[in-house]
């Protein structure tokens, strides 16, 4: 039995760890000096530290990257994953269609997905949302303010409104996604743009949370409030024991439920 | 038979005019020189001109004000109103409870309501939404940018994204309203705040649209894009022929529909 | 520290009990023999047993009834309540307006509300929803089937779809409520009617869940699946530590968050 | 300029016809005697008659079928279509992936889609919704009652609640689709099942409406109320002049809107 410490110091015990897999494209950190200086061990190393800080032994964490066989998601990894994080940018096209389809299928059967920043254009995210997921952008050190518009939503727990991110890439509307089932955060930028940057959707027995802060050129994932959001999002998309049930798409004779 | 001209020059004929009543508190314009200089005939005069410009004879327009008997809404005015605009600020408390209740009841039976700016704190709006409708504010000439986040919504028709309003009062989140059924516009301000400033809700057989720009100290209602939104909102909340039907809250014996 | 046992046998520890107050009109059980035979100690006694069965010491439970001073909700009871259940029917009009307003205000500040069956017409429910809450009805022993349409929603946890209730009052559409933020259950009846009988709404920092089964003439609250829904609903509307914060409806100078 | 006659006899003029393409798999009508006897000229012939009855010259109607080159949707047909109807069942797998992708792309750019009955399992529908779209079923002559739960929605205009369909295939929950943006109709069946059979979603600049009645073994599309729904749905998904704009997914320098 493991333990979650909430910010208030309260402890909550959970029966078994949530099995998290952190998927990172892991290209920029290897080839761009500017990015490596911020994330010498990859962005996923910082996400893992964030989850450990806030969730402790309530999570078990693995990492998978693009360059591994099957992008690190084969051999039963997906089936033994409760929550998958996804970050990609310049190599979306290198993700095999079969892997993207397998991830989307696993979400529909109950796995949670936390899609980060430029993952809005990933194959996985577009397969699940059904839209182009396009947006405006400008990478010129805008300040980003992340405002909570749903203060009782679990993903907003324990974070100030606004979260102040000194420098970030601007992502602006129109963000071509389906109207979110849960709209939690709206960002504004120095240039005046706004963006629905914290959104939840249901897909089958799974949940998807998209969180827009996190361009590789800025130390966004080192920000303590952003780290809290990552942990909150992991908990929110994690399947309960009622998810993962088989779909019932069968012939159902009259009175089958009696 | 009257005619609506859309921006593209197309004409649409409608069988009978939409009966609009413009309700204005009409206090600031009479006592504050700064406001009177912007709206010498009252804000409602500018709204009427906006509706005439965009909707022509497709609307018939009346005005009602706080100081009139029954606040100008008695003697059958409500029952013969399809769309009611509402603006109030310093005299919310002077609106009789019975009148506020009658307006809310009329909305539930199919009348459309367009609530403007500080009407977020009006008795009518709070009765219909069920929340405190509180928000942050600052009246210091922030620039307001009004971004469309639902580009195919009829209320966003023909307006640029963003609408640029050079000076306005800041209204900021958290805006304590129920999650809107339709979220059309999100504003940002010079100070970095964001606000869900264009929202639609269904209440019974009626519709409510709230549009936040419009502080009395600035010439916001003279802005051509704002005027277009006012006209769009009037059309969107206007009842169709299926609204205004009697509720069926009756005993219904088995097979009543056969 | 107290303990919640889930149906699967898992244990979850919670730091302090959720403080539940069960409000029951408690009129039918005293004057109608047919009702007393089903609920000799009042319906609230059965709700309490349901909460004890599923939530154990994770809840502390009090009861309040119409005939008590302040309807049992004065003297700090509301302020020390996390979750309020509400059942009323023939005496809605006897609930003092001030008490109804105080309950609604408390919900907006974070208390959860579980509104049961004929509470759809209670003053409290109508104040929070803003609509007439009218519906069709027929009390002729229809079988009610309660179908889950949001299988991962916490309120649907551990209940079969459908829940089969052999005899119940029919409640039918159109149910005049705002489109629910969460639509969890849809019921059908022997006569063919349907009803959105399990709905959640957010109001300020509080949550409301409405569950329609529960007419006083039938032993609905003795049904084990219905009891599970009552416990689930209590957990879902219970405030987290982030609720109950003060609203910020204040003047906010530029840069107040920096 | 063409004319729409509403049920009440009112006339509305529209500037140019809505260009409708009716896509029908058109397999059952050719090979099954039972189906041909109901739809000797194909189901699309009856849909066309329904649109003519209710919309007159306000629509221009073409037909496309699976067996045509490009499934009848090449050569500019998609680009010159405002509203596409889609019915498929036993030959979903025979629809070319490229055609399905092109249809989904066209919807995102503003074309409306009306998906009928077993089209819930079509490639096009699944691409746009992102889920499995699975459901329960039973083809044993259940009576279907179609209840309106959003009485002011344009698709419900002029139809009784319930629509009584004497015999139909049962479709039952859980229907694995994203929570609809608009939930208009809920059906119940003789066997007691319920189904969210009238749902709207937004996808990019386009709209999707799904309407579940319409199994090929029953004369459902001859039903006058069903025909009215088909016409209403065509109007509701039809693009306005603001749809079909190019997406803006570009670099946006600071102040681009000034």
């Amino acid at each position: 039995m493991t333990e979650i410490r909430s910010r208030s110091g309260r402890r909550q015990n959970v029966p078994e760890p949530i099995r998290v897999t952190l998927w990172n494209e892991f290209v920029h950190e290897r080839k761009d000096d500017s990015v490596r200086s911020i994330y010498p061990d990859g962005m996923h190393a910082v996400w893992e530290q964030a989850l450990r800080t806030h969730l402790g032994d309530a999570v078990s964490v693995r990492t998978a990257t693009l360059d591994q066989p099957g992008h690190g998601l084969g051999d039963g990894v997906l089936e033994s994953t409760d929550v998958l994080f996804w970050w990609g940018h310049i190599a979306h096209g290198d993700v095999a269609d079969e892997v993207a389809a397998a991830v989307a299928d696993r979400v529909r059967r109950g796995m949670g997905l936390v899609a980060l920043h430029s993952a809005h254009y990933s194959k996985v995210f577009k397969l699940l949302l059904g839209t182009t997921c396009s947006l405006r952008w400008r990478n010129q050190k805008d300040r980003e303010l992340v405002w909570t518009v749903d203060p009782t939503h679990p993903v907003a727990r324990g974070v100030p409104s606004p979260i102040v991110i000194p420098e970030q890439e601007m992502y602006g509307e129109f963000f071509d996604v389906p109207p979110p089932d849960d709209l939690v955060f709206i960002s504004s930028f120095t240039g005046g743009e706004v963006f629905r940057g914290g959104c939840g959707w249901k897909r089958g027995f799974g949940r998807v949370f998209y969180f827009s802060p996190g361009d590789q050129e800025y130390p966004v994932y080192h920000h303590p409030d952003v780290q809290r959001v990552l942990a909150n999002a992991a908990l929110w998309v994690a399947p309960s024991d009622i998810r993962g049930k088989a779909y019932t798409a069968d012939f159902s004779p009259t009175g089958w439920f009696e």
Side-chain angles (χ1 to χ4, degrees), chain A:
Chain A
M1 200 138 85
T2 56
E3 192 174 278
I4 303 174
R5 289 175 189 277
S6 78
R7 202 174 59 155
S8 67
R10 289 181 178 180
R11 289 179 292 181
Q12 278 184 275
N13 289 338
V14 292
E16 22 186 272
I18 298 167
R19 300 165 298 173
V20 177
T21 301
L22 304 173
W23 195 91
N24 185 8
E25 184 184 274
F26 201 28
V27 173
H28 289 291
E29 299 98 320
R30 292 176 179 171
K31 72 184 188 68
D32 302 336
D33 287 348
S34 58
V35 180
R36 188 167 47 239
S37 69
I38 303 170
Y39 298 111
D41 301 313
M43 285 182 279
H44 50 277
V46 180
W47 307 335
E48 178 164 359
Q49 170 252 313
L51 297 181
R52 292 259 169 261
T53 300
H54 291 287
L55 305 177
D57 295 335
V59 287
S60 65
V61 181
R62 284 179 296 189
T63 292
T65 56
L66 179 67
D67 60 345
Q68 295 173 330
H71 310 325
L73 297 173
D75 291 326
V77 170
L78 272 183
E79 293 305 314
S80 59
T81 295
D82 297 316
V83 173
L84 182 70
F85 280 65
W86 194 277
W87 195 104
H89 181 219
I90 53 170
H92 289 317
D94 295 339
V95 174
D97 286 346
E98 310 79 66
V99 173
V103 171
D105 171 70
R106 182 71 182 91
V107 171
R108 294 175 192 123
R109 286 183 294 110
M111 182 179 72
L113 177 71
V114 179
L116 295 173
H117 190 61
S118 41
H120 72 93
Y121 262 158
S122 64
K123 290 181 180 180
V124 166
F125 193 65
K126 293 195 288 186
L127 277 174
L128 287 164
L129 294 198
T131 55
T132 69
C133 305
S134 65
L135 45 75
R136 291 178 182 281
W137 61 275
R138 173 179 63 245
N139 208 339
Q140 295 180 349
K141 304 188 181 179
D142 280 63
R143 181 183 68 176
E144 177 170 0
L145 302 174
V146 182
W147 299 89
T148 297
V149 295
D150 187 352
T152 64
H153 197 282
V155 179
R157 198 174 186 187
V159 295
S161 180
I163 301 172
V164 180
I165 302 176
E167 292 183 347
Q168 237 287 80
E169 183 179 20
M170 183 281 289
Y171 271 14
E173 297 282 348
F174 173 63
F175 184 25
D176 179 28
V177 289
D181 300 323
D182 294 57
L183 175 59
V184 184
F185 301 121
I186 298 173
S187 290
S188 71
F189 295 86
T190 306
E193 285 89 353
V194 301
F195 192 68
R196 290 169 293 166
C199 297
W201 292 269
K202 292 182 175 177
R203 285 298 178 270
F205 289 151
R207 287 178 176 178
V208 176
F209 196 82
Y210 174 74
F211 188 56
S212 65
D215 187 71
Q216 70 278 0
E217 299 286 348
Y218 310 94
V220 173
Y221 294 123
H222 290 284
H223 192 301
D225 297 327
V226 169
Q227 294 198 352
R228 177 70 194 247
V229 173
L230 298 182
N232 288 345
L235 289 180
W236 186 74
V237 303
S240 74
D241 60 357
I242 59 158
R243 299 187 210 170
K245 292 189 297 192
Y247 284 105
T248 307
D250 299 326
F251 171 72
S252 301
T254 300
W256 58 268
F257 49 79
E258 290 175 303

